[in-house]
Amino acid sequence: MASDALLRTRQAIQAAGCRPRPEMWGGPTDTGIPVAASCQHSGDQGGPIVIIPKPKG
């Protein structure tokens, strides 16, 4: 199930006159489309994206 943020994003794309592909807008636990990076927002959910695990160096 998609999060509220994903739903709002898809709705904004539609409001702009485009048609989002639902398979490209799954939730963070959807493994249907692999991604290259494992990242998440910082603890307050409003901060910057934090790479998990943190790169060495």
Side-chain angles (χ1 to χ4, degrees):
M1 183 158 144
S3 71
D4 289 341
L6 293 175
L7 179 61
R8 288 191 309 271
T9 301
R10 289 193 314 253
Q11 289 171 338
I13 291 169
Q14 288 175 321
C18 298
R19 188 176 67 177
R21 292 174 50 191
E23 68 273 13
M24 301 296 288
W25 291 92
T29 59
D30 180 2
T31 59
I33 298 174
V35 296
S38 176
C39 61
Q40 63 189 32
H41 285 274
S42 61
D44 65 6
Q45 296 299 314
I49 293 175
V50 178
I51 299 171
I52 306 296
K54 188 172 183 175
K56 296 178 183 178

